[in-house]
Amino acid sequence: MKDILQTIADNKRREIEVLYQNDQRPLYLNPEKLWLKPVFSMSQSIREKNGGIIAEFKRRSPSKGEIAPMADVAKIIPEYVSGGAAACSVLTDTRFFGGSSADLAVAQTLAEETPLLRKDFIISKVQIAEARALGASAILLIASILSKEELAEFHNYAHQYRMETLVEIHGLEELDKLSFSPDMLGVNNRNLSTFHTDLSHSFHLVKSLPHDTVLVAESGIKSARDIKRLRDAGFQGFLIGEAFMSTKEPGKTLQNFIENSY
């Protein structure tokens, strides 16, 4: 089977190369824009807000295809906020997930004080600066596509702009890449090379994870019962997209998850 993650990462590198070639960088390099947007702690919100759910906005995925192809971020984000999300995740990859940087910019105007996570395949500091300019309070760093040096560099760079990092792993061997303590540590139940999803993966790994950071379970969470089991196992945050976006009322579905997860 072709490595889907590698395909996505290679495409992202080409996008960055084109960005530099066309010199479309003023947004990212303008110091004023990097400091105008407010920043809210995602890790603190997960710890303190009932439910700990990171509600994700996404239109499609390589594994599921179209989920909500016509979804409007201006409609969904306010629903998530009123539904009680601890944070909102916005996918900004266009080719594989149907998102855009514009989605994040719009979300920022509607999220109130709810932290926003830029969900993308970050391989360059320019994407981190862009995330700050567009209003993100946190970024995702995927350990499997970054070196130990890149992870530390990108984590520190995000902190320079007051953003937090959610470092995502799939296997315990990736913990060896961490020379720092991430603000949040995520376990992706979806193998990004094959996109096979198995919720039991989080339960297998959690006992071996450091508990001095916010632990986040990602992918494959389909019910309030799943959240309760994961919380009892030691997770504090729960990143959920498809289970909400595939319904007619994502915000109400989120609210029901929170109410029934204790």
Side-chain angles (χ1 to χ4, degrees):
M1 180 178 289
K2 189 172 183 179
D3 191 318
I4 302 173
L5 177 60
Q6 192 57 53
T7 300
I8 296 173
D10 289 344
N11 181 74
K12 193 63 59 176
R13 291 186 182 92
R14 288 191 293 270
E15 289 180 359
I16 298 298
E17 289 172 3
V18 170
L19 189 69
Y20 275 105
Q21 289 170 0
N22 294 338
D23 199 26
Q24 298 174 357
R25 292 174 290 164
L27 172 64
Y28 324 131
L29 301 181
N30 185 334
E32 293 181 2
K33 287 187 178 293
L34 295 177
W35 295 101
L36 282 176
K37 307 294 185 181
V39 182
F40 305 102
S41 172
M42 182 169 151
S43 61
Q44 181 178 345
S45 184
I46 290 172
R47 286 189 183 100
E48 297 179 354
K49 197 153 188 177
N50 191 31
I53 294 178
I54 307 162
E56 185 161 272
F57 177 85
K58 69 176 177 180
R59 297 185 179 93
R60 66 172 181 263
S61 77
S63 59
K64 297 294 183 179
E66 302 290 354
I67 300 170
M70 304 304 293
D72 183 359
V73 70
K75 176 180 182 295
I76 303 300
I77 293 300
E79 288 187 18
Y80 281 161
V81 171
S82 62
C88 293
S89 169
V90 179
L91 269 152
T92 55
D93 176 81
T94 301
R95 179 177 174 184
F96 298 95
F97 292 88
S100 70
S101 296
D103 286 333
L104 181 57
V106 172
Q108 192 277 330
T109 67
L110 300 167
E112 300 177 4
E113 295 186 2
T114 302
L116 291 176
L117 169 73
R118 181 183 189 173
K119 183 84 174 291
D120 210 320
F121 299 80
I122 290 179
I123 58 167
S124 167
K125 289 197 292 186
V126 71
Q127 295 166 283
I128 300 173
E130 181 188 40
R132 177 79 289 273
L134 293 170
S137 289
I139 59 168
L140 178 75
L141 297 177
I142 301 174
S144 60
I145 62 172
L146 298 171
S147 67
K148 181 176 183 177
E149 292 72 24
E150 287 172 327
L151 278 170
E153 180 184 13
F154 292 172
H155 170 79
N156 291 334
Y157 191 68
H159 275 202
Q160 287 180 30
Y161 293 114
R162 299 175 295 159
M163 290 188 294
E164 294 181 325
T165 59
L166 169 59
V167 175
E168 174 184 296
I169 65 168
H170 183 71
L172 291 177
E173 69 280 358
E174 291 169 346
L175 289 176
D176 293 337
K177 288 187 175 184
L178 299 184
S179 59
F180 59 94
S181 295
D183 304 294
M184 296 158 283
L185 181 64
V187 174
N188 198 339
N189 296 304
R190 179 173 292 118
N191 184 323
L192 290 180
S193 294
T194 64
F195 270 70
H196 173 72
T197 303
D198 182 1
L199 187 63
S200 66
H201 192 66
S202 282
F203 296 105
H204 292 326
L205 266 61
V206 67
K207 292 182 180 179
S208 301
L209 299 178
H211 284 258
D212 57 350
T213 186
V214 172
L215 297 181
V216 178
E218 308 174 26
S219 303
I221 303 172
K222 298 179 180 180
S223 68
R225 182 175 180 273
D226 288 341
I227 295 174
K228 186 179 187 305
R229 291 173 59 222
L230 288 163
R231 185 183 290 113
D232 290 344
F235 288 94
Q236 296 163 285
F238 315 94
L239 197 154
I240 306 171
E242 183 187 338
F244 300 150
M245 294 295 298
S246 60
T247 68
K248 292 183 178 180
E249 297 181 286
K252 182 171 286 188
T253 305
L254 161 65
Q255 190 172 6
N256 289 337
F257 270 47
I258 293 173
E259 291 174 353
N260 294 298
S261 64
Y262 289 93

